[in-house]
C-alpha cells in the first residue's frame, strides 16, 4: 500500500468519525436522548398533564395534612378506664384482706410467742411484721387516693376530648 492510499484511508476514517459523532451530538441536543426512541418523543402538551396531576395530588395531600393538624388528637380512654377500674378492684380486695388483719392483732401473737422456747427472736420477727403491716396500710391508703385522682382526671380528659369532637 502506498503512502497516498494510506493517507486517503485515514482521511476517510476521520471524516466518517466526525460525521457519526456530529449526528449523535445533533440528536442528543434536540431530544436529550441517544436512542431510536428520540423520534417518538411525546408532545409538550402531553407532558404537562402528569405535572398537573402531581401538583393536584400534592395539594390534596397538603389539605389533608392541614386538616389533621387542626383536629385535636383523639385519645381512646375506655381501655385505660377499664385497666384503672381493674386495678381499683384489686386494690380494694387487698385492702379488704388486710383490713381484717390489724396492727393490734400482733399483741395477741406476742403473748402466745412469750411462752415458746426462743421468745426473743420471735418477738423481733413479730415486731418487724407489725411495722410492715402498718407501712402497708399507709401505702394502700396512698395508692387508693392516687387511683381515685387518676380516675377523675381520666374522666375529665375523656369528657374534654368528647366535647372537642362534638364541636
Amino acid at each position: 500500500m502506498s503512502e497516498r492510499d494510506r493517507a486517503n484511508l485515514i482521511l476517510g476514517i476521520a471524516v466518517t468519525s466526525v460525521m457519526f459523532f456530529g449526528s449523535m451530538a445533533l440528536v442528543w441536543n434536540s431530544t436529550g436522548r441517544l436512542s431510536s426512541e428520540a423520534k417518538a418523543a411525546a408532545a409538550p402538551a402531553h407532558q404537562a398533564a402528569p405535572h398537573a396531576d402531581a401538583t393536584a395530588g400534592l395539594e390534596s395531600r397538603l389539605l389533608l395534612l392541614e386538616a389533621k393538624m387542626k383536629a385535636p388528637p383523639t385519645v381512646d380512654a375506655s381501655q385505660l378506664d377499664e385497666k384503672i377500674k381493674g386495678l381499683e378492684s384489686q386494690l380494694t380486695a387487698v385492702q379488704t384482706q388486710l383490713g381484717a388483719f390489724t396492727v393490734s392483732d400482733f399483741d395477741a401473737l406476742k403473748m402466745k410467742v412469750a411462752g415458746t422456747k426462743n421468745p426473743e427472736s420471735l418477738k423481733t420477727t413479730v415486731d418487724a411484721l407489725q411495722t410492715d403491716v402498718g407501712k402497708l396500710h399507709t401505702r394502700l391508703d396512698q395508692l387508693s387516693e392516687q387511683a381515685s385522682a387518676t380516675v377523675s382526671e381520666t374522666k375529665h380528659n375523656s369528657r374534654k376530648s368528647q366535647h372537642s369532637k362534638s364541636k
Side-chain angles (χ1 to χ4, degrees), residues 19-86:
M19 288 178 51
F20 174 76
F21 287 117
S23 64
M24 292 301 278
L26 182 64
V27 169
W28 193 357
N29 273 340
S30 62
T31 63
R33 303 183 261 196
L34 289 177
S35 65
S36 61
E37 296 175 358
K39 295 179 184 177
H46 180 66
Q47 289 177 353
H51 295 296
D53 290 342
T55 303
L58 287 174
E59 287 175 355
S60 66
R61 178 75 176 146
L62 180 63
L63 291 174
L64 180 69
L65 289 174
E66 285 176 351
K68 284 183 178 179
M69 285 174 37
K70 288 179 184 176
T74 58
V75 177
D76 184 19
S78 62
Q79 291 178 349
L80 186 58
D81 284 338
E82 289 175 17
K83 286 182 180 179
I84 289 173
K85 287 178 184 175

Side-chain angles (χ1 to χ4, degrees), residues 14 16 24 29 43 55 78 80 100-101 120 128 132 134 141 143 150-151:
T16 305
M24 292 301 278
N29 273 340
T55 303
S78 62
L80 186 58
F101 192 73
E120 284 303 315
D132 289 343
D141 291 340
L143 287 175
T150 305
V151 168

Side-chain angles (χ1 to χ4, degrees), residues 10 17 33 44 50 54 58 61 63 71 73-75 78 94 102 106 108 127 135 166:
I10 292 175
S17 297
R33 303 183 261 196
L58 287 174
R61 178 75 176 146
L63 291 174
T74 58
V75 177
S78 62
V94 169
T102 61
F106 284 104
D127 288 339
K135 289 178 182 177
S166 63

